[in-house]
Amino acid sequence: MSKLIDLTDRSSDQWIKMGESEMQTPVREKTLDFDIAVIGGGMAGICSAVSAARNGSKVVLVQDRAVLGGNASSEVRVIVHGVTKLKSGLPERETGIIEEILLLNRFCNEQHSFTVWDHVLYDYVTREPNITLIMNTQAVRAVTEDSKIVSALCWQMTTETLITINAELFIDCSGDGLLAATSGAIYRTGREGKAEFNEKYAPDEPDGWQMGATILLSSKDMGKPMPFKAPPFTIKFDADKTHTDRRIIPFVEGFWWVEVGSNNDIIKDAEVDMHRLMGFAYGVWDYVKNSGEFPEANSFALDWVGSLPGRRESRRFMGDYILKESDQLSHKIFEDAVAFGGWPLDEHNPGGIENLSQPPSFWHEHFDRVYQIPFRSLYSKNISNLLFAGRNVSQTHVALSSSRVMGTCATMGQAVGTAAALCVKKKVVPRELANNHIKELQEQLLRDDAFIPERLADDVNDLAKTANKIWASSTTSGDVKLLIDGVSRDEQGEVHHWKSNGLNAEVIFEWDEPISLSQVEIKCDTNVKKNIMMLKNTRENDAYTTIIPPELLKSMSLQVIINGDWEDYGEIKNNQKRLIKFSFDEVLTKGFKFILHDTYGAENVKLYEVRAYK
Ligand SMILES: Cc1cc2nc3c(=O)[nH]c(=O)nc-3n(C[C@H](O)[C@H](O)[C@H](O)COP(=O)(O)OP(=O)(O)OC[C@H]3O[C@@H](n4cnc5c(N)ncnc54)[C@H](O)[C@@H]3O)c2cc1C
């Protein structure tokens, strides 16, 4: 504490304004108050801040870099995977906030540029009126009282300013969790031994091994021979000794297995590792260019090389529940499920690129379907107002090997942001929310288009369920009555949609007696069985699309029955989202209808859910 307070003592720092002979001591300290402070602007932190803000809280998002996105940013350039590699080869894509972001990127960044993506994220966050975004600022220390964080002390590098952030709740989405660690929140690092959680992929004995950090690179075809001379810091890549899983082709997108882990303190080692990773990355590129094994690389040159190693693992904060391998493999049903995952158990080898004989990842198992993540793994067991989302949550090392991908981190982010906003409204801490209000949290998440596997939405306030008559102008598959069945995707082979036969199409909800109505919401189709994230090596196939999903509803209008006549109550053109909302002054009505005009290419329109509220 005392050392940090000394940081603000600038009495020996005199700022002299030339010409006016004015001299002053710079005062660079400020205090800000919020409901919720989110630390770390990676995909988990962004989704957390946006969901908390949309659910009514005053939120600050503190990010220590100049760009948002964490490992997905242009600084590191990791692809946002989630449930993208099921055994079928197809995804079970995340919806909610992360999908909104990926769709926005489709509309704004057809060129798949990482630096444009940084600003898509910036645009997305700064559109939210309830979010204050503070960049280039590291949360360095928690101030606590009675096992509760009262403030985060933050250092803004660009302004030499100590910012004290007071908040009701703190959400640590920083990956490494410096704020949470300094609050005294209990955490683990390294690998659990097999016996502790009966994990078949854990080592026999616990140890300190943590998966490593990586520097990525990309190259481009210059259309002419491009010689490459390795700089002196290059570390030779011994291709003869490497396991064949260290694949070189396609070399345009870099090598995720240029990885250095740690059996010690991966955070303390970061700067040493950065230098080694630079050497290893250039070593592999030297092999590509100069070994003679890849004549097709003759005209390729480095286009970008990362300088900030992306990290996969460090602290995991302990909650009321520790997610483990068997929960994932058995698809355990949690009463407090709020998020989901399904990336394979992709545990990287201890040693990384320094352990060439082993495969870079063991890829222990692929999942055939998704698994649930409980809310009790997303808040601290001993710091009462601390939540977390991302790779730092309460789970074992083996469980992390699957859940660390950013689409999955994003679902946790939306869950904790929504939870924190509910805590603020109800004046409770996360554990009380888990014990007494979990259904309310799940209902809000489902309404906001988060997917919770095998959990039906059952919102008592949803008037659509009370309609006496629901009908559609045409149908090719599904049933219009499925729009109120509580499931907003086709799940495990079961149909939960209605699909039109041609366009325009109409869907009508009618009541025998008038109801008060002021909001209607629909969930349309984006094809969750196709990936839409930005790739470095773009491809169009069964699992990926590089275009705006043709299934997405493009334009539609809403009519409401007023005194027996259909009246226009709203119109949407060039829609960019799966969840479409209409709000209007409350009316007494016996019905409403959607007129569905157009998609981004599909012949028919598909819907998954309709809700109505007053
Ligand atoms: C090379 C590599 C390849 C990978 N491959 C994939 C892949 O293909 N797909 C995939 O989805 N995942 C992949 N992963 C894993 C994934 O990137 C991470 O697990 C994921 O980024 C974790 O998300 P997060 O939001 O918890 O953390 P991050 O993405 O690290 O975001 C945290 C953010 O918080 C900021 N921060 C940290 N400390 C502070 C602080 N004290 N104050 C303020 N801000 C702070 C950081 O700068 C960062 O921007 C890969 C990782 C690496 C390194």
Side-chain angles (χ1 to χ4, degrees):
M1 245 328 255
S2 59
K3 279 189 191 152
L4 275 166
I5 287 170
D6 285 344
L7 281 177
T8 64
D9 176 7
R10 306 290 287 262
S11 49
S12 56
D13 174 3
Q14 298 296 309
W15 183 286
I16 301 168
K17 208 167 166 187
M18 297 302 291
E20 291 166 36
S21 307
E22 266 181 39
M23 197 192 271
Q24 47 177 261
T25 301
V27 178
R28 290 179 180 154
E29 194 183 357
K30 60 183 170 191
T31 300
L32 304 169
D33 296 316
F34 296 93
D35 297 327
I36 296 169
V38 179
I39 310 302
M43 301 318 292
I46 292 172
C47 294
S48 176
V50 169
S51 58
R54 288 186 183 170
N55 280 289
S57 287
K58 204 174 144 214
V59 179
V60 63
L61 176 59
V62 181
Q63 163 68 343
D64 66 357
R65 312 292 309 176
V67 289
L68 291 165
N71 281 356
S73 73
S74 66
E75 291 189 314
V76 187
R77 306 196 180 193
V78 171
I79 305 301
V80 180
H81 279 282
V83 184
T84 50
K85 269 189 206 287
L86 291 175
K87 273 185 193 157
S88 63
L90 297 180
E92 188 67 59
R93 206 161 41 68
E94 299 73 24
T95 49
I97 294 175
I98 183 66
E99 182 190 60
E100 264 186 34
I101 296 173
L102 296 179
L103 284 173
L104 180 64
N105 191 53
R106 270 293 137 84
F107 284 95
C108 304
N109 188 12
E110 215 180 317
Q111 61 276 33
H112 296 231
S113 154
F114 270 91
T115 47
V116 172
W117 157 255
D118 288 341
H119 290 183
V120 170
L121 297 176
Y122 178 81
D123 171 22
Y124 188 75
V125 167
T126 53
R127 281 179 193 196
E128 290 299 328
N130 275 350
I131 297 183
T132 300
L133 175 63
I134 304 185
M135 302 289 278
N136 297 304
T137 301
Q138 189 177 38
V140 289
R141 172 130 208 172
V143 179
T144 56
E145 264 172 31
D146 303 329
S147 300
K148 187 178 167 202
I149 304 177
V150 287
S151 314
L153 303 184
C154 305
W155 183 253
Q156 189 165 53
M157 285 167 277
T158 45
T159 62
E160 302 174 352
T161 300
L162 181 74
I163 307 175
T164 301
I165 291 176
N166 302 324
E168 293 297 313
L169 290 120
F170 290 81
I171 308 180
D172 196 321
C173 298
S174 67
D176 289 340
L178 175 58
L179 181 90
T182 60
S183 77
I186 297 166
Y187 67 85
R188 291 181 169 205
T189 63
R191 302 191 289 183
E192 287 75 15
K194 229 183 204 59
E196 186 177 0
F197 292 98
N198 197 18
E199 292 183 309
K200 57 181 164 176
Y201 298 120
D204 289 338
E205 297 300 326
D207 62 23
W209 182 257
Q210 293 142 95
M211 287 186 289
T214 292
I215 279 182
L216 291 171
L217 57 82
S218 60
S219 63
K220 71 176 176 189
D221 189 350
M222 301 294 288
K224 60 174 189 172
M226 293 297 294
F228 172 75
K229 185 169 178 315
F233 62 75
T234 301
I235 302 171
K236 186 174 177 326
F237 176 59
D238 213 340
D240 292 342
K241 296 201 176 127
T242 189
H243 191 281
T244 48
D245 279 4
R246 283 192 183 76
R247 292 198 191 95
I248 300 284
I249 290 175
F251 47 75
V252 285
E253 61 183 43
F255 313 99
W256 57 264
W257 42 262
V258 173
E259 173 177 359
V260 174
S262 173
N263 203 14
N264 183 19
D265 178 342
I266 197 162
I267 295 174
K268 178 174 78 57
D269 295 341
E271 290 301 313
V272 177
D273 287 349
M274 191 273 286
H275 291 291
R276 292 158 73 215
L277 283 167
M278 295 272 286
F280 283 125
Y282 274 85
V284 177
W285 187 247
D286 186 34
Y287 173 68
V288 168
K289 290 294 292 181
N290 296 325
S291 65
E293 296 288 324
F294 305 97
E296 69 274 34
N298 191 28
S299 56
F300 277 78
L302 286 176
D303 183 36
W304 169 84
V305 188
S307 299
L308 177 70
R311 211 173 272 164
R312 294 178 174 86
E313 179 174 4
S314 54
R315 297 185 179 97
R316 284 171 280 123
F317 291 91
M318 296 297 106
D320 280 349
Y321 190 84
I322 302 176
L323 187 74
K324 55 187 183 296
E325 176 195 291
S326 60
D327 297 332
Q328 296 168 324
L329 290 175
S330 69
H331 307 278
K332 184 175 167 128
I333 298 292
F334 291 101
E335 275 308 302
D336 62 330
V338 289
F340 73 102
W343 178 260
L345 289 174
D346 165 20
E347 192 204 11
H348 290 199
N349 94 40
I353 195 164
E354 292 170 304
N355 188 357
L356 284 177
S357 61
Q358 286 201 35
S361 170
F362 298 118
W363 297 109
H364 296 301
E365 279 190 45
H366 284 61
F367 289 90
D368 55 358
R369 60 194 170 89
V370 298
Y371 58 79
Q372 297 182 337
I373 299 175
F375 180 52
R376 283 165 300 145
S377 293
L378 307 182
Y379 63 84
S380 169
K381 90 191 253 175
N382 67 316
I383 299 295
S384 63
N385 64 341
L386 172 66
L387 302 106
F388 20 76
R391 65 176 166 83
N392 64 0
V393 305
S394 183
Q395 56 188 340
T396 65
H397 165 84
V398 175
L400 166 79
S401 76
S402 163
S403 71
R404 72 177 181 279
V405 285
M406 291 178 280
T408 304
C409 293
T411 68
M412 299 182 214
Q414 181 161 359
V416 293
T418 309
L422 278 177
C423 285
V424 170
K425 275 186 200 153
K426 294 180 180 300
K427 300 194 188 332
V428 297
V429 293
R431 181 173 292 127
E432 285 172 79
L433 195 78
N435 291 339
N436 303 325
H437 308 282
I438 193 68
K439 186 164 181 330
E440 201 174 327
L441 170 59
Q442 291 165 325
E443 285 300 333
Q444 189 60 51
L445 286 166
L446 292 167
R447 182 172 175 185
D448 294 342
D449 204 16
F451 172 53
I452 306 176
E454 300 189 52
R455 181 156 287 272
L456 289 173
D458 183 22
D459 184 351
V460 287
N461 298 317
D462 178 6
L463 297 169
K465 289 179 187 300
T466 67
N468 301 103
K469 206 170 156 199
I470 305 173
W471 52 286
S473 56
S474 63
T475 301
T476 47
S477 70
D479 185 330
V480 72
K481 298 209 172 48
L482 293 173
L483 297 179
I484 54 161
D485 76 348
V487 185
S488 39
R489 69 172 66 195
D490 294 340
E491 197 179 0
Q492 292 186 47
E494 279 182 21
V495 169
H496 295 280
H497 69 254
W498 160 83
K499 189 174 181 182
S500 74
N501 188 357
L503 292 167
N504 292 328
E506 293 186 1
V507 170
I508 299 136
F509 279 65
E510 286 182 313
W511 286 260
D512 295 342
E513 298 300 325
I515 56 155
S516 296
L517 186 73
S518 62
Q519 287 174 49
V520 288
E521 301 173 0
I522 62 173
K523 292 182 181 125
C524 63
D525 189 24
T526 51
N527 193 356
V528 295
K529 304 285 184 200
K530 272 209 178 191
N531 289 304
I532 55 169
M533 72 284 205
M534 192 169 74
L535 297 175
K536 288 182 202 133
N537 189 22
T538 56
R539 49 196 178 269
E540 192 74 42
N541 59 28
D542 286 349
Y544 292 93
T545 182
T546 54
I547 56 171
I548 294 162
E551 299 85 357
L552 182 64
L553 184 56
K554 186 174 184 186
S555 60
M556 63 170 297
S557 45
L558 169 72
Q559 291 187 345
V560 177
I561 301 176
I562 305 289
N563 299 326
D565 293 324
W566 288 109
E567 288 192 11
D568 292 332
Y569 259 72
E571 187 176 18
I572 291 198
K573 290 182 176 164
N574 302 317
N575 167 54
Q576 300 187 350
K577 297 176 184 174
R578 192 178 112 107
L579 170 59
I580 303 171
K581 295 181 180 181
F582 292 90
S583 295
F584 41 87
D585 291 340
E586 195 166 303
V587 290
L588 266 185
T589 180
K590 289 178 94 174
F592 63 81
K593 78 172 158 194
F594 299 121
I595 306 164
L596 309 161
H597 302 301
D598 214 357
T599 66
Y600 283 88
E603 275 176 32
N604 298 309
V605 69
K606 204 192 252 184
L607 303 184
Y608 282 98
E609 188 176 78
V610 172
R611 291 178 180 231
Y613 296 90
K614 75 166 185 176

